[in-house]
Amino acid sequence: MKSAVEPLKARRIYLLLRDRIVAGELPPGARLPGEPTLAAEHAVSRVTVRRALDLLEKEGLVQRKPGSGTFVHDTRTVRPIVADLSNVLSHLIDMGRSTDVRLLSFGYLVPSDTIAASLGLRPGERVQRSVRVRLIDGEPFSYLTTHVPEWIGLTYSEAELAARPLLELIERSGVETDRATQAINATLAGPEAAAALDLEIGSPLLTLTRIVYEPSGRGVEHLHAQYRPDRYSFHMDLVRTGNDGERRWSPALGWPRSSDKNKADKTNKGKSGEKPTRAPRVIKQRS
């Protein structure tokens, strides 16, 4: 029984320390308490503490220096990804060009009933299925599984998918992407996703399921994405709308960040009697 409980205790300590690091309570360069101190604080053995520190080190959150101690590693060199929920399809191709991709699998098969229905496929119709990992600054942040109708998939090769954004390849085939629906959730990393994202099995992940449609309403891409929450987040600006008594929060399309506002102010500077206009929002959709 004890052998089964110890790993759970180690994971609990790992999660507690991880939360403090991610929240900034333990800043980069800070020295963690020694193993004896942590063991006494959490009423566990030093072996259990060592297991927790092993998990933190494997995730790249701490560095162990023999004779000096364990220090919080500066992870700020990895730029976090921010996705704008107010514009689902905006800048997808640009994002594909600014990040790296690793193609893990490529093939054709008959999809599950759920995916077939979402794409509007006929019974037995095949899809091109691929699994990719996207990286930013050399670090993985997303694990992507996509299904595209076979008639579109046949227009590009495995080598092209490994080098070019999928949306670009879909539109190159002559398909016009018109709209998309997506749902966001949370899950735990399975063995394949954990290995691809350099995480422990069971680590928390953000998930997104997106279906892209052409104007006729036919689905042209089904995407299931899993993201590391420490390297990817979703963002949406909101404004209060409606009449008194029916006020509500609504997406603020076109609302600029500070950098965009500064550009807008410069553009409109010197125009007598005119107020600066809001510059178009330029936030990359990361997926």
Side-chain angles (χ1 to χ4, degrees), residues 1-20:
M1 177 65 71
K2 183 178 180 180
S3 61
V5 171
E6 287 302 314
L8 295 177
K9 290 182 178 180
R11 185 159 187 82
R12 179 177 178 276
I13 297 171
Y14 151 75
L15 291 172
L16 289 171
L17 292 174
R18 186 185 187 282
D19 286 347
R20 294 181 64 190

Side-chain angles (χ1 to χ4, degrees), residues 8-45:
L8 295 177
K9 290 182 178 180
R11 185 159 187 82
R12 179 177 178 276
I13 297 171
Y14 151 75
L15 291 172
L16 289 171
L17 292 174
R18 186 185 187 282
D19 286 347
R20 294 181 64 190
I21 293 172
V22 173
E25 295 178 23
L26 292 171
R31 184 179 184 276
L32 268 63
E35 290 181 7
T37 301
L38 288 172
E41 179 182 348
H42 297 282
V44 297
S45 67

Side-chain angles (χ1 to χ4, degrees), residues 14 52-64:
Y14 151 75
L53 296 178
D54 286 342
L55 294 174
L56 291 172
E57 185 176 35
K58 185 173 182 178
E59 195 171 336
L61 293 175
V62 301
Q63 287 181 314
R64 281 158 149 171

Side-chain angles (χ1 to χ4, degrees), residues 108-113 115-116 121-128 147:
Y108 292 86
L109 49 75
V110 176
S112 67
D113 292 342
I115 292 176
L121 301 179
R122 297 183 300 273
E125 188 173 354
R126 299 200 309 169
V127 295
Q128 190 282 303
H147 293 81

Side-chain angles (χ1 to χ4, degrees), residues 77-153:
T77 54
V78 179
R79 298 172 293 157
I81 302 296
V82 178
D84 181 13
L85 286 178
S86 63
N87 195 344
V88 174
L89 295 178
S90 176
H91 306 295
L92 277 174
I93 293 178
D94 181 60
M95 184 283 304
R97 290 172 174 161
S98 63
T99 60
D100 298 319
V101 66
R102 184 185 304 144
L103 182 61
L104 302 183
S105 70
F106 181 98
Y108 292 86
L109 49 75
V110 176
S112 67
D113 292 342
T114 300
I115 292 176
S118 68
L119 294 174
L121 301 179
R122 297 183 300 273
E125 188 173 354
R126 299 200 309 169
V127 295
Q128 190 282 303
R129 179 184 183 274
S130 65
V131 178
R132 295 168 295 155
V133 175
R134 280 212 171 276
L135 307 95
I136 185 76
D137 296 336
E139 300 291 341
F141 70 90
S142 67
Y143 181 78
L144 312 172
T145 302
T146 54
H147 293 81
V148 175
E150 183 177 25
W151 62 274
I152 298 177

